[in-house]
């Protein structure tokens, strides 16, 4: 049995990709998007997808901390579109899950991550 874990990266070029990463190691997540620290983002789109797919946790977005203040980061159109606050978000975003204690979790399989990615790309 494979214990590989996965997260999704939604990048500023409007692409999404699945990468192998253990989200429970919170300190390792920022390096996936060339950040020093990450801030979390939750939104209705993530809640809807998690409920629809009956995921074992809520979906969580992780962005470069204070990304909106960093002029060297490119806008992330997709992340901004999902965000309930109608704000412009910048830089690449990591998408993973979180448990009831707000601890990040990886997707347990590439297939689970793929189904989340496909659901996130659906309108609305």
């Amino acid at each position: 049995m494979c214990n590989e874990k996965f997260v999704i990266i939604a990048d500023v070029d409007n692409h999404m990709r699945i990468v192998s990463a253990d989200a429970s190691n919170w300190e390792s997540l920022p390096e996936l998007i060339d950040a020093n620290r990450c801030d979390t983002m939750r939104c209705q789109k993530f809640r809807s997808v998690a409920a629809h797919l009956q995921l074992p946790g809520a979906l969580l977005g992780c962005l470069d901390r204070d990304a909106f203040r960093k002029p060297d980061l490119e806008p992330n159109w997709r992340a901004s579109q999902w965000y309930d606050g109608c704000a412009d978000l910048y830089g690449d975003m990591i998408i993973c899950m979180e448990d009831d204690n707000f601890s990040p979790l990886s997707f347990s399989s590439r297939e689970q991550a793929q189904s989340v990615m496909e659901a996130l790309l659906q309108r609305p």
Side-chain angles (χ1 to χ4, degrees):
M1 182 173 148
C2 180
N3 289 333
E4 194 169 13
K5 299 175 182 182
F6 301 91
V7 298
I8 299 167
I9 305 289
D11 67 29
V12 296
D13 292 327
N14 209 25
H15 296 105
M16 293 175 70
R17 66 186 189 281
I18 298 168
V19 298
S20 178
D22 183 0
S24 67
N25 181 1
W26 179 252
E27 295 81 23
S28 71
L29 292 179
E31 70 187 41
L32 294 175
I33 56 172
D34 294 325
N36 293 323
R37 285 184 66 189
C38 283
D39 278 338
T40 57
M41 190 273 290
R42 296 160 183 89
C43 61
Q44 182 57 46
K45 179 76 170 185
F46 285 2
R47 288 185 289 277
S48 298
V49 166
H52 173 73
L53 296 176
Q54 299 178 345
L55 296 175
L59 287 179
L60 176 69
C62 303
L63 294 145
D64 194 327
R65 183 177 176 92
D66 296 326
F68 63 94
R69 296 184 193 162
K70 297 180 179 177
D72 59 319
L73 293 178
E74 296 292 322
N76 189 321
W77 176 84
R78 193 177 307 275
S80 298
Q81 181 184 36
W82 292 329
Y83 187 53
D84 299 331
C86 300
D88 292 332
L89 300 178
Y90 292 82
D92 295 342
M93 176 193 281
I94 300 163
I95 302 167
C96 57
M97 292 184 297
E98 66 179 347
D99 64 18
D100 293 339
N101 296 318
F102 305 106
S103 297
L105 301 170
S106 297
F107 298 107
S108 60
S109 67
R110 184 172 291 278
E111 293 76 20
Q112 185 182 52
Q114 183 67 38
S115 66
V116 168
M117 200 164 63
E118 290 169 2
L120 286 171
L121 293 173
Q122 298 294 313
R123 297 256 184 221

